[in-house]
Amino acid sequence: RLTAEEMQAFQRRLAEAREAYRRKMEQHAAFHSKTPISPQNVERLAVVRWLGMGDIHEAAFSPDGSRLAIVSDKWIFIYDPAQRTQVRYQTGLLTYGVMFSPDGQMLVSYSNESSNQKYIVQLWHAADGRLLHSLEGHTESVNKVAFSPDGRLIASASRDKTVRLWHAADGRLLHSLEGHTESVNRVTFSPDGKLLASASGDNTVRLWHAADGQLLRTLEGHSSGVNNVVFSPNGKLLASASGDNTVRLWHAADGQLLRTLEGHSSGVNSVAFSPNGSLLASASDDKTVRLWRAEDGRLLRTFDGHKDRVRSVAFSPDGKLLASASWDKTMRLWRTADGRLLDTLVGPMRLFSHVNSVAFSPDGRLIASASGVLQIATKIIQAIMEDSLKIEDNTVRLWRAEDGQLLRTLEGHTSGVNSVSFSPDGKVLASGSHDKTVRLWRGANGRVLRTLEGHTSGVNSVAFTPNGRLLASASDDKTVRLWRVADGRLLRTLEGHTSGINSVSFSPNGDLLASASADETVRLWRVEDGQLLRTLEGHTSGINSVAFSPDGNLLASASDDNTVRLWRAEDGQPLRTLHRHTDDVHSVTFSPDGRLLASASADKTVLLWGVR
């Protein structure tokens, strides 16, 4: 009978073996994924790349700026932007933060699962994801971790009101620093590694001797919880940000309060020194960033523009730029010298989630932000799915792909827009809406050409024929309608589904139309006369998306039963069911060359499939 420790070790080795096998299979698949997917080779489909694994909680660059570590639920992803490669490893617990060691060889992460009272700091080998040590002892959530400048010590701050100091080499607990009477929100080492500062909800900052954990002094003065604390680059000053709307500057050597920086009208969440230590930036719930002169605390300027709380602020390595991250779902780049707003970054995927943290890479060329979704402001790492045309304010918005500039907003729908599609020549844009209509717009100027009426319920999907002459619309009224684009005339209504239709797709030659429905079926229609050719059955839940392969030989469908199914278009024969997703699959599409199949799921992943 295995002991608890032996069982844990066995489960860890099993998880490592599974992950190693998966990596090997995916590398093998990637090596052989130059063959177009066809009915003859669908059994050889394998996952080529796994993109994403949940909500993004934190992002951190390696010290040399060459790698980006991202924490996503129970996974850590290591991205190499230059090589465009990704390594991932599973933590086994819900993980909320990550940090590289100063030499870039190790990663420290912290995980919190209150349901099973697991509050663990984990130390990993950065190159291969090997778990080195699990640091256990905290009795409530871990809020932050930090390496000492020499990488020998790890400090963890927790809601259990303690700071713990660990030996990085062997994971041994060295000291438990007690004294705070509320949650410890932040912990940081001085630049020389001799001091450790902790910020707490008990309104205090405490300074500890890093070597032995001895409490040196308690800095009192804030009238609300302290959210953040940082040392100046030379280690002489300490800045603290508090919910009392102030930033306080302290003398690190003796804890003397030098000055109180007042001006914010709400709690201050983040504070940062410029690289040369002459400036101090603060981010607040009052939606502003303020820039102060560290020498005398003088307010130099206030950066206005965010529409919600500003959660984090960071200087570029040369101090010329300031980045701020806000719950208004944006990052903003400001010029320090004059306060000019240089850019507003919404990330490569225009998805709606708070942006909680922001950081520059050491060379200043990249910016990472952590949010409910992955948002990386760099042209190196590009989003593979773009949904920026569909906004839940009843409008269609046109953006310039090159630089993300909003070109125009198309207004006219009276309810949410569910689907948009360009005609093959790009001259016409079609939109389908909850308001039961389809609208055709001129692509060049956004002028509405016509409104197609006839559906008795919301329109979920629109698609043009390859020659652009016909448009199909799919609706919750259980019908597909075929329209002539030139004059908007309704040609025919395709009936047969017993529930709402979520997606339509034309075959590459335009002869066939596939429709996917919540009734768990895909139906194939002949476009010429609207005749139903066959009904494809097999899914056990509603179908959200359907797509033809570029050669028209295959049909792929994505369903709420967590699967993707591949069918032979010629006769509707089921060929393969892909089972790797763990939640509803919302979308499926083939690459233009037919070599890859992408599936996007509510399990927060995009899987790329290729022939092995």
Side-chain angles (χ1 to χ4, degrees):
R1 184 181 180 89
L2 294 177
T3 65
E5 291 78 10
E6 289 171 334
M7 178 60 75
Q8 184 179 26
F10 171 75
Q11 290 174 338
R12 184 170 61 248
R13 288 195 298 270
L14 181 61
E16 290 171 352
R18 285 174 174 167
E19 180 59 17
Y21 175 77
R22 173 154 49 191
R23 289 179 188 168
K24 183 176 180 180
M25 289 297 99
E26 292 183 9
Q27 289 170 359
H28 183 70
F31 184 78
H32 292 283
S33 62
K34 296 182 179 180
T35 304
I37 304 169
S38 70
Q40 290 73 37
N41 60 30
V42 293
E43 288 301 325
R44 292 161 51 201
L45 278 184
V47 174
V48 173
R49 183 164 296 180
W50 192 310
L51 303 171
M53 182 52 76
D55 290 343
I56 305 302
H57 298 295
E58 191 164 78
F61 280 98
S62 61
D64 63 3
S66 65
R67 289 163 296 161
L68 179 67
I70 296 170
V71 170
S72 176
D73 284 356
K74 297 185 179 182
W75 294 79
I76 295 175
F77 295 85
I78 308 295
Y79 290 93
D80 184 329
Q83 300 298 322
R84 301 188 182 186
T85 59
Q86 166 190 297
V87 175
R88 70 179 186 280
Y89 38 97
Q90 193 168 16
T91 65
L93 296 166
L94 288 173
T95 303
Y96 292 92
V98 67
M99 184 182 188
F100 278 96
S101 61
D103 63 6
Q105 299 299 307
M106 293 185 292
L107 275 171
V108 64
S109 64
Y110 55 94
S111 303
N112 300 312
E113 286 192 354
S114 57
S115 59
N116 55 16
Q117 296 186 331
K118 290 281 188 179
Y119 312 108
I120 298 177
V121 177
Q122 293 177 303
L123 194 62
W124 310 85
H125 193 278
D128 59 15
R130 184 162 36 94
L131 179 63
L132 300 175
H133 306 292
S134 288
L135 315 181
E136 301 186 43
H138 283 297
T139 57
E140 289 193 58
S141 300
V142 180
N143 294 324
K144 205 67 181 177
V145 292
F147 273 101
S148 61
D150 61 9
R152 295 180 180 179
L153 300 178
I154 298 171
S156 55
S158 170
R159 284 180 59 87
D160 66 10
K161 309 173 188 177
T162 71
V163 175
R164 294 187 180 237
L165 275 174
W166 315 82
H167 195 271
D170 57 15
R172 181 165 44 95
L173 175 64
L174 299 175
H175 306 287
S176 182
L177 313 185
E178 300 180 0
H180 282 296
T181 58
E182 292 292 341
S183 172
V184 186
N185 299 320
R186 190 63 62 103
V187 63
T188 185
F189 284 91
S190 60
D192 61 8
K194 294 180 179 179
L195 298 179
L196 185 71
S198 57
S200 169
D202 64 9
N203 307 351
T204 71
V205 173
R206 295 191 178 229
L207 278 174
W208 315 81
H209 196 271
D212 58 11
Q214 180 185 347
L215 176 63
L216 299 177
R217 58 191 60 89
T218 300
L219 312 185
E220 298 178 305
H222 283 296
S223 58
S224 187
V226 185
N227 299 318
N228 199 350
V229 62
V230 293
F231 282 94
S232 61
N234 62 12
K236 294 181 179 180
L237 299 179
L238 195 67
S240 56
S242 169
D244 65 8
N245 307 352
T246 71
V247 174
R248 296 191 177 230
L249 280 174
W250 315 80
H251 196 272
D254 57 12
Q256 179 187 350
L257 176 62
L258 299 177
R259 57 192 60 90
T260 300
L261 311 184
E262 298 178 307
H264 283 296
S265 58
S266 193
V268 186
N269 299 308
S270 178
V271 64
F273 280 97
S274 62
N276 64 10
S278 64
L279 301 176
L280 188 70
S282 56
S284 169
D285 283 346
D286 66 9
K287 309 176 187 177
T288 72
V289 173
R290 294 186 179 236
L291 192 67
W292 317 80
R293 190 161 60 195
E295 180 184 11
D296 55 10
R298 178 187 172 193
L299 177 62
L300 299 178
R301 59 186 56 89
T302 299
F303 303 105
D304 293 298
H306 282 296
K307 307 301 182 185
D308 207 336
R309 302 176 182 182
V310 188
R311 301 294 296 175
S312 182
V313 66
F315 283 93
S316 61
D318 61 7
K320 294 180 179 180
L321 300 178
L322 191 67
S324 55
S326 168
W327 277 13
D328 66 7
K329 307 150 191 172
T330 71
M331 290 186 296
R332 291 179 184 243
L333 276 177
W334 316 83
R335 190 161 60 196
T336 308
D338 56 9
R340 179 184 173 189
L341 177 62
L342 300 178
D343 205 353
T344 299
L345 310 174
V346 294
M349 286 188 289
R350 190 178 176 85
L351 300 175
F352 300 94
S353 191
H354 302 324
V355 184
N356 296 314
S357 180
V358 64
F360 279 90
S361 65
D363 63 5
R365 297 176 63 187
L366 304 177
I367 305 170
S369 66
S371 164
V373 294
L374 173 63
Q375 300 191 3
I376 302 173
T378 168
K379 292 184 179 180
I380 299 174
I381 301 175
Q382 295 291 338
I384 67 165
M385 298 183 68
E386 184 71 31
D387 199 24
S388 60
L389 288 174
K390 187 174 70 175
I391 309 295
E392 288 299 321
D393 59 1
N394 308 345
T395 70
V396 174
R397 299 189 182 207
L398 286 173
W399 312 80
R400 188 161 58 201
E402 179 182 358
D403 57 10
Q405 182 181 343
L406 176 63
L407 299 178
R408 58 187 62 89
T409 299
L410 313 184
E411 298 178 339
H413 284 295
T414 58
S415 190
V417 182
N418 297 320
S419 179
V420 289
S421 179
F422 278 100
S423 61
D425 61 9
K427 294 181 178 180
V428 179
L429 180 69
S431 57
S433 167
H434 278 306
D435 66 9
K436 310 175 189 178
T437 71
V438 174
R439 291 191 178 235
L440 294 178
W441 316 79
R442 189 179 299 281
N445 57 20
R447 182 171 61 88
V448 64
L449 298 174
R450 55 190 59 88
T451 300
L452 312 182
E453 297 178 310
H455 283 295
T456 58
S457 194
V459 181
N460 298 317
S461 179
V462 290
F464 284 92
T465 53
N467 62 16
R469 295 175 183 174
L470 301 181
L471 181 76
S473 57
S475 169
D476 280 336
D477 66 9
K478 310 175 190 177
T479 71
V480 175
R481 295 187 179 235
L482 280 173
W483 314 82
R484 190 161 59 197
V485 173
D487 57 9
R489 178 186 172 192
L490 175 63
L491 300 179
R492 58 189 60 90
T493 300
L494 312 183
E495 298 177 307
H497 282 293
T498 58
S499 193
I501 304 171
N502 298 317
S503 177
V504 286
S505 177
F506 283 98
S507 62
N509 62 11
D511 292 340
L512 300 178
L513 178 70
S515 57
S517 169
D519 67 9
E520 305 175 8
T521 71
V522 173
R523 295 189 180 232
L524 276 174
W525 315 80
R526 189 162 57 203
V527 173
E528 182 182 8
D529 56 10
Q531 181 182 343
L532 175 63
L533 300 178
R534 57 191 62 90
T535 300
L536 312 185
E537 298 178 309
H539 282 295
T540 58
S541 192
I543 305 173
N544 300 308
S545 178
V546 64
F548 281 94
S549 61
D551 61 9
N553 291 326
L554 288 176
L555 192 67
S557 56
S559 169
D560 284 345
D561 64 11
N562 306 353
T563 72
V564 173
R565 292 186 180 240
L566 287 166
W567 318 78
R568 189 160 54 203
E570 181 184 8
D571 56 11
Q573 178 73 22
L575 299 176
R576 177 87 187 272
T577 302
L578 308 180
H579 287 283
R580 292 291 290 277
H581 285 295
T582 60
D583 206 338
D584 302 349
V585 188
H586 291 155
S587 181
V588 65
T589 186
F590 285 90
S591 62
D593 61 9
R595 295 176 181 177
L596 295 175
L597 179 72
S599 55
S601 168
D603 65 11
K604 304 168 187 174
T605 70
V606 174
L607 299 184
L608 295 181
W609 308 81
V611 176
R612 186 168 57 198

